[in-house]
Every structure is written in C-alpha cells, then in structure tokens.
Amino acid sequence: MSTPTYEMRYCPHCATALAWVQAQEDSGLVDRLRCPACGWTHWNNPTPVLAAIVEYHGQILLARNALWKDRFFGLITGFMEAGETPEQGIAREVKEEVNLDVQQCTLVDVSAFLRMNQVLISYHVLATGEIALSPELSEYRLVDPAQATVWTTGTGLALQKWLRARGFEPQVIERYPQASAQASSAAPTDAHTASAAPAAAPAPAASANIANHGVDAAGDAAAGAVALEVDAKGLRCPQPILRAKRALATLQSGQRLRVLATDSGSLQDFAAFARQTGNALIAQHTDEAGVHHFVLQRR
C-alpha cells in the first residue's frame, strides 16, 4: 500500500477551503494557498529534520526503519521538537532510537531536501552506552568508515562529506536502481540514507513507478509547444528545481516550460514540486542518452 500524501486543504482557523490566491508580499505578487474568508496564508515552509552520523567504538551505526521494504540501512533521523536546540534534538533522537548517549556533537552539513520539503541538519556524534533499538527500527549495522557505502540524496550527501573529510572515498550507489536505470549514463546524484551493503537493493513496492507519477511517459512532444526551455543537465539537486522555479516566474498562466536534467533525483523532485506549487507536470520522459525531460505548465 502506498504511503498517503497529506496536503493542506482547509484553513486551520475557520475551516474554509483554501485557494490559490495572488497577493502582494515583500518580493512582489506571489501565488500561495490562502484562505478566501479570513486571509490566513499557508506558507509551506520547509520542516527542519535532524540527522546523526553516529560513531560508536570507531564504527558508523546505521539502522533500518521497520517500515522499509528494502535492505537499506540509514542514519538516525528525526524532527526537531519545540523548545530544543538542534544539538539537544539530535541527542534526544539518538537516545530514543538506539539508546545511546551523545558525548560530542559536531555540525557536518545543512542542505535542502526538496522532495520532502525539508531542511536537513546533519551532525557527527560520538556516542556511548548499550545499543537498544526503538520499535521504529528493526535492525542495525556497525560499519567501518573505510567500508561505508552511501547513496546519493539527502543524508547520503552529508555522510559522503563527512567520510571524505576523514580521508575516505565511499562507494556511492543508487537506492532505487529502477528509477535511475535510464539515467545510467549520467553522473550519480543525491539521497536520504546510507547502506552497509556493496550493491543496491530492490526498491520498496510503495515507491515503485514513482518516476512516471501519472504523467505522459511517452515523451514531451504530446505536451504541445513550450514557451521556454531550461537546460539543467549536469546540475544536482536542488539546482534543476530552482532554475525551473525562476523560469516559471517569467511565464504567463497556461504557458509551458521544458526542463532538461540528468539528476536522477529530479524524477521525484519535479513531481513533488508540481504538487506543492500547483503548476502542472503535464509530460515527462527519459531519452536514450539518459536525459530527463519535464514539461511544466504554469497555473
């Protein structure tokens, strides 16, 4: 069963259905979900998420979420809570998830994870104690830094950064090989956990076929004429999305934008971008050279 997608549809103050309304802001006229009755605005701000590269007796602790269908093992992650600092939050998450006490905490990376509308704040922590998993985790592995295999988006980027700063060059793999098989000629890009295995595992059933996402996979020719094209080939997340966003701002309602990208993460990023902004993703396909074509229509 697929994981449900929750979207803000009603005003939390008066329960009126939200609508896309253009209003004057500091940056000019901006379209956002707003309440026609009381004027409440859904800002859709990114959510801060904490991640820990847990070093335990000289090894990296990787854990597997109990809900994951594949055999990937990732970093300890969790949401910040009100009233705590990021450092306090990551110490709490490590204690809750694996029962370890954080003795030292060092910031590694802060990055955007557009697919989930999150800001990832990643730390390296030195931890002590006896490992005991929470019900959210099914198992864990301890991996030597020199043997770590990482994947290509989200917290995987932070782990790559930390390992390279320590003098290790990790093996980088795709978690979802079927989503990126057509992009095999393009450079590997980004992701959200790490693996202790040397080869990618099958993707979970809930994520299968996410690249198509209900749009025309036969090619963007059926989408009709486009007003503008953005060449984002060779750029990594979040640059293709940012360039598309800037280009769409120059178009009129109903005009279409074509984006060319080689980042395999863009297969999911553009679907999420369309859902979040209300712009229609009307066509998508990957050509023989591994270039992803997206056609967006400005709402």
Side-chain angles (χ1 to χ4, degrees):
M1 183 175 66
S2 299
T3 301
T5 299
Y6 298 100
E7 298 177 350
M8 181 69 73
R9 293 187 293 169
Y10 298 94
C11 176
H13 290 277
C14 67
T16 301
L18 298 177
W20 287 98
V21 177
Q22 189 175 79
Q24 186 70 38
E25 297 180 3
D26 291 344
S27 59
L29 288 174
V30 179
D31 285 331
R32 297 188 193 275
L33 282 175
R34 308 180 196 271
C35 177
C38 72
W40 181 86
T41 298
H42 175 45
W43 299 103
N44 198 30
N45 294 324
T47 302
V49 174
L50 305 171
I53 303 169
V54 179
E55 185 175 351
Y56 181 70
H57 297 314
Q59 294 182 300
I60 302 170
L61 186 153
L62 303 175
R64 179 172 175 267
N65 191 292
L67 298 178
W68 291 347
K69 305 301 182 183
D70 57 356
R71 293 290 300 165
F72 266 75
F73 289 72
L75 303 185
I76 302 301
T77 60
F79 295 106
M80 283 185 63
E81 294 187 357
E84 66 182 7
T85 66
E87 292 79 8
Q88 291 170 337
I90 202 61
R92 172 186 52 77
E93 285 291 341
V94 171
K95 184 64 175 179
E96 290 176 356
E97 300 300 333
V98 293
N99 194 45
L100 296 181
D101 298 306
V102 171
Q103 304 300 328
Q104 183 178 322
C105 181
T106 305
L107 181 66
V108 173
D109 189 53
V110 178
S111 61
F113 193 52
L114 295 182
R115 195 169 307 156
M116 300 298 292
N117 194 28
Q118 296 171 346
V119 174
L120 302 179
I121 308 172
S122 303
Y123 289 90
H124 164 244
V125 303
L126 292 175
T128 59
E130 295 295 326
I131 297 174
L133 300 183
S134 77
E136 294 182 9
L137 303 177
S138 59
E139 53 187 315
Y140 73 93
R141 289 178 177 174
L142 295 174
V143 183
D144 291 330
Q147 303 300 318
T149 300
V150 301
W151 69 336
T152 53
T153 59
T155 54
L157 297 178
L159 184 54
Q160 289 180 51
K161 182 178 181 179
W162 181 79
L163 288 168
R164 289 182 176 126
R166 295 295 184 94
F168 302 106
E169 184 58 38
Q171 180 185 0
V172 181
I173 60 174
E174 293 282 353
R175 180 175 184 182
Y176 302 113
Q178 60 265 57
S180 58
Q182 292 178 308
S184 58
S185 61
T189 52
D190 61 49
H192 201 52
T193 50
S195 170
S207 299
N209 217 20
I210 194 169
N212 288 332
H213 209 81
V215 296
D216 179 15
D220 52 14
V226 297
L228 187 62
E229 180 174 295
V230 170
D231 187 349
K233 296 191 296 292
L235 300 179
R236 297 177 60 170
C237 174
Q239 288 303 317
I241 290 291
L242 294 177
R243 294 200 175 192
K245 183 178 181 180
R246 288 195 292 267
L248 281 168
T250 68
L251 301 182
Q252 300 298 317
S253 177
Q255 288 188 305
R256 295 174 179 181
L257 169 73
R258 179 186 293 114
V259 183
L260 307 179
T262 49
D263 181 353
S264 61
S266 64
L267 295 169
Q268 295 173 314
D269 289 342
F270 275 93
F273 174 76
R275 289 196 305 270
Q276 293 169 9
T277 63
N279 297 294
L281 179 59
I282 61 173
Q284 171 182 317
H285 81 282
T286 302
D287 62 28
E288 293 181 355
V291 177
H292 308 302
H293 296 237
F294 305 93
V295 177
L296 293 157
Q297 179 171 289
R298 181 167 180 182
R299 59 180 181 79

